[in-house]
Amino acid sequence: MLTYAGGSLTASEIEEQILVLNEAYKKGGISFTLIGTDYTTNAEWFDEFGPSNSAVEKEVKEQLRQGDQTTLNVYSTGFLEEDALQGESTFPREYRKDPELDGVMLLYSCLPGGSTLAFNLGH
C-alpha cells in the first residue's frame, strides 16, 4: 500500500534530518552536507524494500545508488511488516564486497527530526 506520498520527504524534512545528523556526529568531527535529492515513486519498491526482500533491495540500490564510498545514499521506505524496522544500513566493511548495496534504508514515518538515521549510521 503506497502511503505518505510514497515515502517522499519534503526538502525541509530532509534539511532537518541533516541537522540531526550533524548534531549527533559533531563530537567525532564528522559532518554531512546534502548534495542532492532524487525522488522515485514506485509502490512495489516502497512496500517491498527491506532486508527480508534482498531481490528488491538489490534492484532499488543498483538503479538508484549514486557516488562512491564517500557518498551516503539514504532510501525512504515503508518496510515490510515482518521486518518491523525503523531503519537498516550496510556496514562499511561490506562496501568492498557489494558496493552497489551500500546505503541506509529508513522508515519514512520516523522523520522529521527523529534519530533513526543517526542510529543506523552506527551512532
Side-chain angles (χ1 to χ4, degrees), residues 9-25:
L9 305 170
T10 66
S12 63
E13 288 172 325
I14 294 168
E15 290 167 11
E16 187 174 340
Q17 192 60 39
I18 295 293
L19 293 174
V20 169
L21 283 172
N22 284 329
E23 182 63 28
Y25 284 90

Side-chain angles (χ1 to χ4, degrees), residues 11-112:
S12 63
E13 288 172 325
I14 294 168
E15 290 167 11
E16 187 174 340
Q17 192 60 39
I18 295 293
L19 293 174
V20 169
L21 283 172
N22 284 329
E23 182 63 28
Y25 284 90
K26 75 178 178 183
K27 288 183 181 178
I30 299 171
S31 65
F32 298 86
T33 304
L34 180 63
I35 302 298
T37 304
D38 292 320
Y39 293 94
T40 301
T41 301
N42 183 313
E44 178 188 358
W45 285 359
F46 179 75
D47 289 338
E48 301 295 322
F49 187 30
S52 65
N53 192 340
S54 59
V56 171
E57 178 182 3
K58 184 176 172 94
E59 179 183 358
V60 169
K61 289 181 175 179
E62 284 180 346
Q63 290 190 35
L64 300 180
R65 188 176 197 303
Q66 297 183 17
D68 60 17
Q69 69 269 19
T70 65
T71 307
L72 176 63
N73 283 260
V74 179
Y75 306 91
S76 169
T77 180
F79 278 123
L80 293 170
E81 194 172 298
E82 62 264 24
D83 287 333
L85 297 171
Q86 291 185 346
E88 195 250 359
S89 67
T90 54
F91 291 102
R93 68 177 179 263
E94 296 168 339
Y95 185 82
R96 284 191 194 132
K97 181 182 174 203
D98 291 311
E100 71 279 354
L101 295 180
D102 187 42
V104 174
M105 298 176 282
L106 60 85
L107 181 63
Y108 74 95
S109 58
C110 292
L111 300 176

